[in-house]
Amino acid sequence: STIHIGHCRNPLWPPHIAGAISHSNTHAIAVTALKSHVRGIGVDIQDEIDGDTYSSIKTQILFGDELELIQRYKPSLQLPVFSLIFSVKESFFKAAFPEVGRYFDFSCVSVVTIDQNNQCIYLKINETLSSDLTDGLIVRAHYQCLPGKKILTLVTLCPWAFNTGI
């Protein structure tokens, strides 16, 4: 079946499918799931962001305590952590967009915790986006560091409940 492109350049999946796509210069990925199992799914593959790009975009990406979170890491890890935050916000956007139905800024979610042992990231929703994606809600995401300084993130919005605590 052909996946068409919506008016916001979003993939139009069959009605019973949730899905997302992403690509970098060298990799591409697509994930799908039945809507009976997930409300939304988002994936992002991201090359590590360089220092110049970080300096020019950080004020559009980082909100709340995220800059402080990055600065807790030693300098050699700060760009990878920023890249991870950028990527997980992209994944969240892709997972939530079909439900929200409009563009929303990166300020709508903040990374509150990065659990390196379990490769999980916890995002807090900062403004109500839909009847189920409400201000203060905590959403768990997953990540993996790939060879070649690439980061893969995945956000799955479950149909029945969200994690409301860390």
Side-chain angles (χ1 to χ4, degrees):
S1 161
T2 301
I3 305 301
H4 296 284
I5 299 172
H7 70 281
C8 293
R9 303 223 10 95
N10 54 306
L12 298 176
W13 301 97
H16 63 290
I17 299 288
I21 58 174
S22 184
H23 64 86
S24 69
N25 291 334
T26 57
H27 293 76
I29 187 167
V31 295
T32 60
L34 294 173
K35 282 191 177 174
S36 59
H37 295 113
V38 301
R39 285 194 3 242
I41 193 165
V43 67
D44 186 64
I45 188 164
Q46 178 66 50
D47 292 308
E48 184 178 304
I49 294 170
D50 63 67
D52 289 340
T53 303
Y54 168 72
S55 295
S56 68
I57 68 171
K58 68 181 177 183
T59 59
Q60 300 163 356
I61 308 303
L62 300 176
F63 297 91
D65 295 330
E66 291 174 325
L67 182 58
E68 181 183 307
L69 176 68
I70 289 172
Q71 291 172 341
R72 288 185 209 146
Y73 291 86
K74 61 184 179 179
S76 64
L77 292 178
Q78 290 180 5
L79 288 176
V81 171
F82 174 75
S83 303
L84 176 60
I85 290 171
F86 178 86
S87 180
V88 76
K89 287 184 176 196
E90 285 282 334
S91 288
F92 177 82
F93 178 86
K94 291 174 184 178
F97 182 81
E99 181 173 327
V100 176
R102 64 174 172 83
Y103 282 105
F104 54 90
D105 294 331
F106 280 166
S107 63
C108 291
V109 292
S110 295
V111 172
V112 292
T113 304
I114 300 172
D115 177 350
Q116 295 177 42
N117 293 330
N118 295 306
Q119 295 184 309
C120 293
I121 307 166
Y122 294 88
L123 298 159
K124 181 174 79 89
I125 298 176
N126 297 323
E127 70 178 61
T128 296
L129 298 170
S130 73
S131 61
D132 290 314
L133 299 172
T134 56
D135 185 15
L137 193 69
I138 301 295
V139 176
R140 184 177 65 184
H142 299 275
Y143 74 93
Q144 186 171 6
C145 297
L146 303 175
K149 294 186 173 186
K150 292 191 186 311
I151 296 166
L152 179 67
T153 57
L154 176 71
V155 171
T156 305
L157 303 177
C158 298
W160 49 89
F162 286 99
N163 184 352
T164 55
I166 299 175

Short mmCIF file of all heavy atoms in Angstrom, two decimals, residues 12-57:
data_model
loop_
_atom_site.label_atom_id
_atom_site.label_comp_id
_atom_site.label_asym_id
_atom_site.label_seq_id
_atom_site.Cartn_x
_atom_site.Cartn_y
_atom_site.Cartn_z
N LEU A 12 0.71 9.76 5.66
CA LEU A 12 -0.68 9.39 5.90
C LEU A 12 -0.78 7.86 5.91
O LEU A 12 -0.78 7.22 4.87
CB LEU A 12 -1.58 9.99 4.81
CG LEU A 12 -1.61 11.51 4.75
CD1 LEU A 12 -2.45 11.99 3.57
CD2 LEU A 12 -2.12 12.10 6.06
N TRP A 13 -0.84 7.32 7.11
CA TRP A 13 -0.88 5.88 7.30
C TRP A 13 -2.31 5.38 7.14
O TRP A 13 -3.26 6.14 7.33
CB TRP A 13 -0.34 5.52 8.69
CG TRP A 13 1.06 6.01 8.88
CD1 TRP A 13 1.44 7.17 9.49
CD2 TRP A 13 2.26 5.40 8.43
NE1 TRP A 13 2.80 7.31 9.45
CE2 TRP A 13 3.33 6.23 8.81
CE3 TRP A 13 2.54 4.22 7.75
CZ2 TRP A 13 4.66 5.92 8.52
CZ3 TRP A 13 3.86 3.91 7.47
CH2 TRP A 13 4.91 4.75 7.85
N PRO A 14 -2.50 4.11 6.83
CA PRO A 14 -3.87 3.56 6.82
C PRO A 14 -4.54 3.81 8.18
O PRO A 14 -3.85 3.93 9.20
CB PRO A 14 -3.64 2.06 6.57
CG PRO A 14 -2.32 1.99 5.86
CD PRO A 14 -1.50 3.11 6.45
N PRO A 15 -5.86 3.88 8.22
CA PRO A 15 -6.58 4.26 9.44
C PRO A 15 -6.27 3.41 10.67
O PRO A 15 -6.33 3.92 11.79
CB PRO A 15 -8.06 4.12 9.06
CG PRO A 15 -8.08 4.20 7.57
CD PRO A 15 -6.77 3.66 7.09
N HIS A 16 -5.92 2.16 10.49
CA HIS A 16 -5.67 1.28 11.64
C HIS A 16 -4.19 1.21 12.03
O HIS A 16 -3.81 0.45 12.91
CB HIS A 16 -6.21 -0.12 11.34
CG HIS A 16 -5.51 -0.78 10.18
ND1 HIS A 16 -5.65 -0.37 8.88
CD2 HIS A 16 -4.64 -1.82 10.16
CE1 HIS A 16 -4.90 -1.13 8.10
NE2 HIS A 16 -4.29 -2.02 8.85
N ILE A 17 -3.34 2.02 11.39
CA ILE A 17 -1.90 1.98 11.59
C ILE A 17 -1.40 3.31 12.14
O ILE A 17 -1.79 4.37 11.68
CB ILE A 17 -1.15 1.68 10.27
CG1 ILE A 17 -1.57 0.32 9.70
CG2 ILE A 17 0.36 1.79 10.41
CD1 ILE A 17 -1.04 -0.87 10.48
N ALA A 18 -0.50 3.25 13.13
CA ALA A 18 0.28 4.40 13.57
C ALA A 18 1.70 4.16 13.06
O ALA A 18 2.18 3.03 13.08
CB ALA A 18 0.27 4.52 15.09
N GLY A 19 2.36 5.19 12.61
CA GLY A 19 3.70 4.99 12.08
C GLY A 19 4.50 6.27 12.06
O GLY A 19 3.97 7.38 12.24
N ALA A 20 5.80 6.11 11.83
CA ALA A 20 6.70 7.25 11.72
C ALA A 20 7.90 6.83 10.89
O ALA A 20 8.25 5.64 10.83
CB ALA A 20 7.16 7.71 13.10
N ILE A 21 8.52 7.82 10.27
CA ILE A 21 9.73 7.58 9.48
C ILE A 21 10.77 8.62 9.87
O ILE A 21 10.45 9.70 10.36
CB ILE A 21 9.46 7.63 7.96
CG1 ILE A 21 8.87 8.99 7.56
CG2 ILE A 21 8.55 6.50 7.54
CD1 ILE A 21 8.72 9.18 6.06
N SER A 22 12.03 8.27 9.64
CA SER A 22 13.13 9.21 9.88
C SER A 22 14.31 8.78 9.02
O SER A 22 14.40 7.62 8.60
CB SER A 22 13.53 9.21 11.36
OG SER A 22 14.54 10.17 11.60
N HIS A 23 15.21 9.73 8.78
CA HIS A 23 16.43 9.39 8.05
C HIS A 23 17.54 10.34 8.44
O HIS A 23 17.30 11.45 8.93
CB HIS A 23 16.20 9.44 6.53
CG HIS A 23 15.86 10.80 6.02
ND1 HIS A 23 16.82 11.73 5.67
CD2 HIS A 23 14.67 11.40 5.83
CE1 HIS A 23 16.23 12.83 5.27
NE2 HIS A 23 14.91 12.66 5.36
N SER A 24 18.76 9.87 8.26
CA SER A 24 19.95 10.70 8.40
C SER A 24 20.64 10.66 7.04
O SER A 24 20.05 10.20 6.06
CB SER A 24 20.86 10.15 9.51
OG SER A 24 21.43 8.91 9.11
N ASN A 25 21.87 11.09 7.00
CA ASN A 25 22.61 11.03 5.73
C ASN A 25 22.89 9.61 5.27
O ASN A 25 23.05 9.36 4.08
CB ASN A 25 23.94 11.79 5.84
CG ASN A 25 23.73 13.28 5.98
OD1 ASN A 25 22.73 13.81 5.52
ND2 ASN A 25 24.68 13.94 6.62
N THR A 26 22.92 8.67 6.22
CA THR A 26 23.32 7.30 5.87
C THR A 26 22.31 6.22 6.25
O THR A 26 22.48 5.08 5.86
CB THR A 26 24.66 6.95 6.56
OG1 THR A 26 24.51 7.12 7.97
CG2 THR A 26 25.79 7.84 6.05
N HIS A 27 21.30 6.57 7.03
CA HIS A 27 20.35 5.57 7.52
C HIS A 27 18.91 6.06 7.34
O HIS A 27 18.65 7.26 7.35
CB HIS A 27 20.57 5.29 9.01
CG HIS A 27 21.86 4.62 9.32
ND1 HIS A 27 23.08 5.28 9.33
CD2 HIS A 27 22.14 3.34 9.64
CE1 HIS A 27 24.05 4.44 9.64
NE2 HIS A 27 23.51 3.25 9.84
N ALA A 28 18.01 5.11 7.23
CA ALA A 28 16.58 5.41 7.22
C ALA A 28 15.89 4.36 8.11
O ALA A 28 16.36 3.23 8.22
CB ALA A 28 16.02 5.35 5.81
N ILE A 29 14.79 4.79 8.72
CA ILE A 29 14.05 3.87 9.58
C ILE A 29 12.57 4.21 9.48
O ILE A 29 12.19 5.36 9.30
CB ILE A 29 14.53 3.96 11.05
CG1 ILE A 29 13.87 2.86 11.90
CG2 ILE A 29 14.33 5.33 11.63
CD1 ILE A 29 14.51 2.67 13.26
N ALA A 30 11.75 3.18 9.58
CA ALA A 30 10.30 3.34 9.66
C ALA A 30 9.81 2.39 10.75
O ALA A 30 10.32 1.28 10.90
CB ALA A 30 9.64 3.01 8.33
N VAL A 31 8.84 2.86 11.52
CA VAL A 31 8.21 2.02 12.54
C VAL A 31 6.70 2.14 12.38
O VAL A 31 6.19 3.21 12.04
CB VAL A 31 8.62 2.39 13.98
CG1 VAL A 31 10.09 2.12 14.21
CG2 VAL A 31 8.28 3.82 14.31
N THR A 32 6.02 1.04 12.59
CA THR A 32 4.56 1.04 12.55
C THR A 32 4.03 0.15 13.66
O THR A 32 4.74 -0.73 14.16
CB THR A 32 4.01 0.51 11.20
OG1 THR A 32 4.46 -0.82 11.00
CG2 THR A 32 4.45 1.39 10.03
N ALA A 33 2.80 0.40 14.02
CA ALA A 33 2.11 -0.43 15.00
C ALA A 33 0.62 -0.31 14.75
O ALA A 33 0.16 0.66 14.13
CB ALA A 33 2.45 0.02 16.42
N LEU A 34 -0.11 -1.28 15.21
CA LEU A 34 -1.57 -1.21 15.11
C LEU A 34 -2.10 -0.19 16.10
O LEU A 34 -1.64 -0.12 17.24
CB LEU A 34 -2.18 -2.58 15.40
CG LEU A 34 -1.86 -3.69 14.40
CD1 LEU A 34 -2.40 -5.02 14.90
CD2 LEU A 34 -2.45 -3.34 13.04
N LYS A 35 -3.06 0.61 15.67
CA LYS A 35 -3.65 1.61 16.57
C LYS A 35 -4.39 0.97 17.73
O LYS A 35 -4.65 1.63 18.73
CB LYS A 35 -4.57 2.55 15.79
CG LYS A 35 -3.79 3.60 15.03
CD LYS A 35 -4.71 4.67 14.49
CE LYS A 35 -3.91 5.74 13.79
NZ LYS A 35 -4.80 6.72 13.14
N SER A 36 -4.70 -0.31 17.62
CA SER A 36 -5.29 -1.00 18.77
C SER A 36 -4.25 -1.19 19.88
O SER A 36 -4.61 -1.46 21.02
CB SER A 36 -5.86 -2.34 18.34
OG SER A 36 -4.86 -3.16 17.77
N HIS A 37 -2.95 -1.03 19.54
CA HIS A 37 -1.88 -1.18 20.53
C HIS A 37 -1.24 0.14 20.93
O HIS A 37 -0.70 0.25 22.03
CB HIS A 37 -0.80 -2.12 19.99
CG HIS A 37 -1.28 -3.52 19.80
ND1 HIS A 37 -1.40 -4.10 18.57
CD2 HIS A 37 -1.70 -4.44 20.69
CE1 HIS A 37 -1.86 -5.33 18.71
NE2 HIS A 37 -2.07 -5.56 19.99
N VAL A 38 -1.22 1.12 20.04
CA VAL A 38 -0.63 2.43 20.33
C VAL A 38 -1.50 3.54 19.75
O VAL A 38 -2.16 3.34 18.74
CB VAL A 38 0.81 2.58 19.78
CG1 VAL A 38 1.74 1.52 20.34
CG2 VAL A 38 0.85 2.58 18.27
N ARG A 39 -1.49 4.69 20.42
CA ARG A 39 -2.20 5.85 19.87
C ARG A 39 -1.32 6.60 18.90
O ARG A 39 -1.81 7.23 17.97
CB ARG A 39 -2.62 6.78 21.01
CG ARG A 39 -3.77 6.23 21.78
CD ARG A 39 -4.46 7.21 22.70
NE ARG A 39 -3.98 8.55 22.71
CZ ARG A 39 -3.45 9.16 23.78
NH1 ARG A 39 -3.30 8.50 24.89
NH2 ARG A 39 -3.08 10.41 23.71
N GLY A 40 -0.03 6.58 19.16
CA GLY A 40 0.91 7.27 18.30
C GLY A 40 2.30 6.72 18.51
O GLY A 40 2.61 6.19 19.58
N ILE A 41 3.12 6.82 17.48
CA ILE A 41 4.49 6.34 17.57
C ILE A 41 5.37 7.31 16.81
O ILE A 41 4.99 7.82 15.75
CB ILE A 41 4.60 4.89 17.05
CG1 ILE A 41 5.93 4.27 17.42
CG2 ILE A 41 4.33 4.81 15.56
CD1 ILE A 41 5.97 2.75 17.25
N GLY A 42 6.53 7.60 17.37
CA GLY A 42 7.46 8.51 16.73
C GLY A 42 8.87 7.97 16.83
O GLY A 42 9.25 7.39 17.85
N VAL A 43 9.64 8.17 15.78
CA VAL A 43 11.02 7.70 15.75
C VAL A 43 11.88 8.79 15.12
O VAL A 43 11.41 9.54 14.25
CB VAL A 43 11.15 6.36 14.98
CG1 VAL A 43 10.86 6.53 13.49
CG2 VAL A 43 12.51 5.72 15.19
N ASP A 44 13.12 8.87 15.57
CA ASP A 44 14.05 9.82 14.98
C ASP A 44 15.44 9.22 15.02
O ASP A 44 15.83 8.60 16.01
CB ASP A 44 14.04 11.15 15.74
CG ASP A 44 14.89 12.21 15.04
OD1 ASP A 44 14.54 12.60 13.91
OD2 ASP A 44 15.90 12.64 15.62
N ILE A 45 16.17 9.38 13.94
CA ILE A 45 17.58 9.02 13.90
C ILE A 45 18.33 10.32 13.64
O ILE A 45 18.00 11.05 12.71
CB ILE A 45 17.89 7.91 12.87
CG1 ILE A 45 19.32 7.44 13.02
CG2 ILE A 45 17.55 8.33 11.46
CD1 ILE A 45 19.61 6.12 12.34
N GLN A 46 19.29 10.61 14.50
CA GLN A 46 19.92 11.92 14.51
C GLN A 46 21.43 11.78 14.57
O GLN A 46 21.95 11.07 15.43
CB GLN A 46 19.42 12.69 15.75
CG GLN A 46 20.01 14.04 15.96
CD GLN A 46 19.61 15.00 14.87
OE1 GLN A 46 18.44 15.13 14.55
NE2 GLN A 46 20.58 15.67 14.29
N ASP A 47 22.12 12.47 13.67
CA ASP A 47 23.57 12.60 13.80
C ASP A 47 23.86 13.53 14.97
O ASP A 47 23.09 14.44 15.25
CB ASP A 47 24.18 13.20 12.53
CG ASP A 47 24.06 12.27 11.33
OD1 ASP A 47 24.47 11.11 11.46
OD2 ASP A 47 23.56 12.71 10.28
N GLU A 48 24.98 13.29 15.64
CA GLU A 48 25.36 14.20 16.72
C GLU A 48 25.48 15.62 16.18
O GLU A 48 26.07 15.85 15.12
CB GLU A 48 26.69 13.77 17.35
CG GLU A 48 27.08 14.61 18.53
CD GLU A 48 28.37 14.14 19.17
OE1 GLU A 48 28.44 12.95 19.55
OE2 GLU A 48 29.31 14.96 19.28
N ILE A 49 24.89 16.55 16.87
CA ILE A 49 24.87 17.95 16.45
C ILE A 49 26.20 18.60 16.83
O ILE A 49 26.71 18.40 17.94
CB ILE A 49 23.67 18.67 17.10
CG1 ILE A 49 22.37 18.06 16.54
CG2 ILE A 49 23.73 20.17 16.87
CD1 ILE A 49 21.11 18.49 17.24
N ASP A 50 26.77 19.37 15.89
CA ASP A 50 28.07 20.00 16.14
C ASP A 50 27.91 21.26 17.00
O ASP A 50 26.82 21.78 17.19
CB ASP A 50 28.78 20.32 14.82
CG ASP A 50 28.02 21.32 13.98
OD1 ASP A 50 27.91 22.50 14.41
OD2 ASP A 50 27.54 20.95 12.89
N GLY A 51 29.03 21.76 17.49
CA GLY A 51 29.04 22.90 18.39
C GLY A 51 28.45 24.17 17.81
O GLY A 51 27.76 24.91 18.50
N ASP A 52 28.73 24.45 16.54
CA ASP A 52 28.19 25.66 15.92
C ASP A 52 26.67 25.59 15.80
O ASP A 52 25.96 26.57 16.09
CB ASP A 52 28.81 25.88 14.53
CG ASP A 52 30.27 26.30 14.60
OD1 ASP A 52 30.70 26.79 15.67
OD2 ASP A 52 30.98 26.14 13.58
N THR A 53 26.17 24.44 15.39
CA THR A 53 24.72 24.26 15.28
C THR A 53 24.08 24.36 16.67
O THR A 53 23.04 25.00 16.84
CB THR A 53 24.38 22.93 14.60
OG1 THR A 53 25.01 22.89 13.32
CG2 THR A 53 22.88 22.74 14.44
N TYR A 54 24.70 23.72 17.64
CA TYR A 54 24.20 23.79 19.03
C TYR A 54 24.05 25.25 19.46
O TYR A 54 22.99 25.64 19.96
CB TYR A 54 25.16 23.04 19.96
CG TYR A 54 24.91 23.29 21.43
CD1 TYR A 54 23.80 22.77 22.06
CD2 TYR A 54 25.80 24.07 22.18
CE1 TYR A 54 23.57 23.00 23.41
CE2 TYR A 54 25.58 24.29 23.53
CZ TYR A 54 24.45 23.76 24.14
OH TYR A 54 24.23 23.98 25.47
N SER A 55 25.09 26.05 19.24
CA SER A 55 25.05 27.46 19.64
C SER A 55 23.94 28.22 18.94
O SER A 55 23.30 29.09 19.55
CB SER A 55 26.40 28.13 19.35
OG SER A 55 27.40 27.55 20.14
N SER A 56 23.67 27.89 17.69
CA SER A 56 22.68 28.65 16.93
C SER A 56 21.23 28.21 17.17
O SER A 56 20.32 28.99 16.96
CB SER A 56 23.00 28.62 15.44
OG SER A 56 22.83 27.33 14.92
N ILE A 57 21.01 26.97 17.65
CA ILE A 57 19.62 26.50 17.80
C ILE A 57 19.21 26.20 19.24
O ILE A 57 18.04 25.95 19.50
CB ILE A 57 19.32 25.26 16.92
CG1 ILE A 57 20.09 24.02 17.40
CG2 ILE A 57 19.60 25.55 15.46
CD1 ILE A 57 19.66 22.72 16.72
#
